[in-house]
Amino acid sequence: MSIGHTLLGLLESGPRHGYDLKRAFDEKFGHDRPLHYGQVYSTMSRLLKNGLVVVDGIEAGGGPERKRYAITDAGITDVAQWLATPEKPEPYLQSTLYTKVVLALLTGRGAAELLDTQRAEHLRLMRELTRRKKDGDLADQLICDHALFHLEADLRWLELTAARLDRLAEEIHR
């Protein structure tokens, strides 16, 4: 995810302080991975330097001064271009799991056990996401569905690989 573009998009509704941007980001997108304040301010500094935001005001408070940021026309254009650009699908052609299976076979370890352990971990996470989806709002349901569909694809791969382990072992030992 592009944090800079996400923060710019949040600014389109109006100027905000860094604290407000972090809170909005965490509420909408950061359930599992909230932003650190340092990440917000370093990103805002970069956006400011690149002319995508301006400081709309500075307020003195009990602590450090609070800058209020506003998006510029260039920032709005940048967000529009980012939103219109499709994300590159990730083909997972060099998966860590595949590497582990091949190394297990090459070193005489149990590749079938590795696949069984991974299957159990996938199923555990799927149960957790299903519970979260059941109790979540629509945004949480959609993000959980996305993760669940990827885990389902991984499970299909695990089953297919388990069925082909003997053949794979023959091929890598040639």
Side-chain angles (χ1 to χ4, degrees), residues 36-79:
H36 296 286
Y37 284 105
Q39 198 171 11
V40 172
Y41 293 110
S42 65
T43 301
M44 295 312 296
S45 179
R46 188 177 80 263
L47 295 172
L48 186 64
K49 186 178 97 180
N50 292 337
L52 302 176
V53 299
V54 294
V55 174
D56 187 54
I58 298 177
E59 298 172 9
E65 293 180 332
R66 294 178 39 163
K67 293 179 183 174
R68 187 175 55 244
Y69 298 95
I71 192 167
T72 63
D73 288 342
I76 291 170
T77 300
D78 198 55
V79 170

Side-chain angles (χ1 to χ4, degrees), residues 100-101 104-105 107-115 165:
K100 285 183 170 187
V101 169
L105 291 171
T107 61
R109 293 183 171 90
E113 292 81 7
L114 182 153
L115 292 170
L165 268 182

Side-chain angles (χ1 to χ4, degrees), residues 120-155:
E121 181 60 18
H122 271 63
L123 291 171
R124 182 201 64 75
L125 182 55
M126 289 176 83
R127 284 189 297 274
E128 181 182 313
L129 289 168
T130 301
R131 276 191 299 275
R132 177 176 161 184
K133 177 181 160 180
K134 183 180 154 225
D135 298 332
D137 60 11
L138 181 58
D140 219 26
Q141 291 169 12
L142 289 170
I143 198 70
C144 287
D145 280 339
H146 186 263
L148 285 164
F149 293 148
H150 282 274
L151 290 168
E152 286 173 8
D154 287 350
L155 282 175

Side-chain angles (χ1 to χ4, degrees), residues 97-98 100-106 109-116 119 157-173:
L97 189 51
Y98 170 77
K100 285 183 170 187
V101 169
V102 171
L103 284 175
L105 291 171
L106 285 172
R109 293 183 171 90
E113 292 81 7
L114 182 153
L115 292 170
D116 287 342
R119 184 181 305 105
W157 182 85
L158 289 167
E159 294 300 325
L160 181 65
T161 302
R164 294 178 174 175
L165 268 182
D166 291 338
R167 190 167 141 211
L168 180 60
E170 287 175 17
E171 285 189 19
I172 64 172
H173 283 101

